[in-house]
Structures are given as C-alpha cells and as structure tokens.
Amino acid sequence: MGVRLTLREGTLTALLSGEIDHHCAKGIREEVDKAAGQTKPRRLVLDFSRVQFMDSSGVGLIMGRYKLMQSIGGIVILANLPEKIEKIVALAGLDRLARIERNWDHETNQ
Amino acid sequence: MKPINEMNVSFFSRSSNEGFARAAVAAFAAQLDPTVDELSEIKTAVSEAVTNCIVHAYRDTIGIIYIKAQIYEDGRLVIRVRDKGCGIENVEQAMEPMFTTGGEERSGLGFTVMQNFMDRVRVLSHVGKGTVVTLYRTLESRPVGND
Ligand SMILES: Nc1ncnc2c1ncn2[C@@H]1O[C@H](COP(=O)(O)OP(=O)(O)O)[C@@H](O)[C@H]1O
Ligand SMILES: [Mg+2]
C-alpha cells in the first residue's frame, strides 16, 4: 500500500497504490486527513490507477473522506477506477457522493 | 458429494493477515483455472469474511481464524471462514446493506459484497461462541484432471 500526495491550485491528489483493505486503510486515512486538514483543498482527488485490490473497507475510506470534504466545503473525485473496483463503488452507491473521472490527468488536474 | 481437494489454514486475527488469507485461498482456487475476474471476486469475498473476524468477532482481542476451502468435481468452490469470537445476535439484520456496528469508517457492505460476488453465502452464528460464514461459487471453467 502507498499514498503519494500532491497539492496544486486547491486540488489535493492522493495517488493510491497496492491493495486497499482494512489493514492499510488506516494509514491512508491518516495521511490524507492530515494533508487535507492542513491545506483545506477545494477538491480531493483519489486516484486509483495503481490500485490492484479493494474491498468494502475502501468504501468506508471513501465515505469518510467524503464527509471530511463536505465539512470543509469541498468535493471528492474518484479517478481512474479499474473496472473491478468501479463495480464495488457502484454497488455502494458512491457515484452519488463523488464525481467519477475515467481519464483523470494529474498534470493538468482535469 | 466428497470434495476432490481440500485445504485448511488457521492464523491469528491480526489485520496484517488479511492479505495473506485472500492470497492463500486464491492460490488454492487457481487450480480450478478461474478467470481473472472470478479470482478477483473470490479474493474480495474472502477478504470481507476475514476482516469481519478481525474487526467484529475478535474486536478487542486476538483470536484464531480458521479457513477451509474445498473443490468439488463439478467445479464448485466452497470456502468456510470460522471464528470463535463474539457471535452475531441478529444475522438477518447484520446482512442488511449498510448495517454496521463498527462505527464511522465501516461501510456495512461486507455481506452485500460477499452476496454479490458469490453464488450463495450462508451464515451460522451463536452469541458468545462464534460465527461460520460459508461462501459458495461454481466456476465456469472446470479442472482439467484430478491429478
Ligand atoms: N464474524 C463476525 N462476528 C461478529 N459480528 C459480525 C461478524 N461478521 C459480521 N458481523 C456483524 O455484522 C455487521 C455487518 O457486517 P458487514 O456487512 O461486513 O459490514 P461492516 O464490516 O462494514 O460492519 C458488522 O458490523 C457486525 O456487527
Ligand atoms: Mg465487514
């Protein structure tokens, strides 16, 4: 598991990698929340392009970040979800809470 | 019907074993020649069942989690995940989407994911004694031989 954080023009991007389960969700949560708390971004992008596995602990992780961003008046974008992870995201109805972007570019932030 | 192959594994309910558990079952299931999608769904269901033992059954302690996986001649895979933890008072309620006793960061979707990814999920639980979750999945592809 890994998370790489970058902030540019009010957009905080968390590039996630590896397997997202209950074991590693805590570490991701702590890093993202710390960065978001310090920088108060308008948008939080969770980039899944390098994620190989996610179970419902990842759903809890996304919901928690949604609540956090809501509390500071920002939005969550779920970017580059692999097909099998998008299935769980849809099952959880997360497409109603967050924007889904299939071809998100980190360089241009769009 | 008797299984043509079986594996048993037990381990401490430490969260670092979540990855081990799903990988072990996937490696065993691989002999049924599953597709990448089938394997990924099996891994996800096992991860849900094992995480529940760690997070809920043995909430404030470390206990032992037992997994038995069996392969049948007709391509059926049966995975039993068992704990000797706190048990579930109301199984029907526990299996409802979004129901959780786990607080903020749990989605309450573990059983929903298991039910979506497997053919059948059976839950047997006794308060104070523990829980057995059995996952059934028949794979499209068949084992080539039984050697
Ligand atoms: N092995 C178990 N032992 C005790 N309680 C369990 C077990 N598995 C599930 N539960 C109960 O069922 C509820 C729903 O489980 P689940 O659908 O996986 O959602 P979550 O894990 O997010 O709470 C849990 O919150 C818990 O109360
Ligand atoms: Mg669960």
Side-chain angles (χ1 to χ4, degrees):
Chain A
M1 181 284 291
V3 49
R4 222 178 61 204
L5 293 154
T6 48
L7 178 74
R8 193 187 302 153
E9 291 158 18
T11 298
L12 178 66
T13 303
L15 181 60
L16 309 168
S17 57
E19 310 205 333
I20 302 181
D21 59 10
H22 154 259
H23 178 63
C24 73
K26 187 167 173 259
I28 297 173
R29 181 181 79 222
E30 285 170 356
E31 287 200 41
V32 172
D33 287 9
K34 196 172 118 208
Q38 284 167 354
T39 62
K40 301 273 189 294
R42 276 182 291 117
R43 303 193 295 186
L44 171 65
V45 180
L46 300 175
D47 188 330
F48 289 83
S49 49
R50 295 182 191 168
V51 176
Q52 277 110 34
F53 174 87
M54 188 181 98
D55 64 18
S56 76
S57 297
V59 172
L61 182 74
I62 296 168
M63 285 169 134
R65 284 344 94 215
Y66 167 75
K67 284 180 197 149
L68 173 76
M69 287 306 291
Q70 218 183 15
S71 75
I72 60 174
I75 62 160
V76 175
I77 295 173
L78 306 177
N80 307 330
L81 292 161
E83 210 175 304
K84 58 190 174 191
I85 296 179
E86 192 164 340
K87 213 161 138 184
I88 292 186
V89 164
L91 192 69
L94 291 174
D95 44 339
R96 287 189 305 246
L97 305 184
R99 207 166 94 200
I100 292 181
E101 291 286 347
R102 289 198 174 74
N103 299 296
W104 185 265
D105 185 346
H106 329 284
E107 296 305 318
T108 55
N109 269 345
Q110 58 189 17
Chain B
M1 205 177 12
K2 274 194 179 153
I4 55 172
N5 200 3
E6 178 177 307
M7 78 95 162
N8 288 277
V9 59
S10 62
F11 48 90
F12 283 6
S13 61
R14 296 202 178 278
S15 64
S16 55
N17 285 329
E18 290 161 9
F20 159 74
R22 60 181 179 262
V25 174
F28 179 73
Q31 55 194 288
L32 277 164
D33 198 20
T35 64
V36 174
D37 279 355
E38 285 172 332
L39 210 51
S40 152
E41 293 181 354
I42 291 163
K43 271 172 91 168
T44 311
V46 170
S47 196
E48 297 295 353
V50 168
T51 301
N52 280 351
C53 301
I54 293 166
V55 176
H56 307 296
Y58 299 121
R59 182 187 287 264
D60 298 312
T61 80
I62 294 291
I64 298 175
I65 299 170
Y66 306 83
I67 300 182
K68 180 195 286 293
Q70 297 173 316
I71 289 170
Y72 290 83
E73 205 147 8
D74 57 2
R76 196 156 42 102
L77 176 67
V78 179
I79 305 158
R80 201 185 69 179
V81 179
R82 186 164 61 93
D83 67 67
K84 293 180 178 172
C86 65
I88 303 172
E89 217 163 289
N90 183 341
V91 171
E92 209 180 314
Q93 180 187 44
M95 293 181 83
E96 277 169 21
M98 316 282 270
F99 177 86
T100 183
T101 56
E104 271 292 287
E105 294 284 321
R106 307 295 319 158
S107 62
L109 289 172
F111 280 124
T112 307
V113 167
M114 287 186 249
Q115 285 170 320
N116 265 272
F117 286 178
M118 304 303 274
D119 296 330
R120 194 154 76 90
V121 178
R122 211 187 51 176
V123 181
L124 268 174
S125 192
H126 293 285
V127 173
K129 290 215 168 117
T131 302
V132 186
V133 172
T134 312
L135 307 166
Y136 300 84
R137 177 81 190 250
T138 299
L139 297 169
E140 293 305 325
S141 34
R142 300 282 174 268
V144 180
N146 39 8
D147 48 3

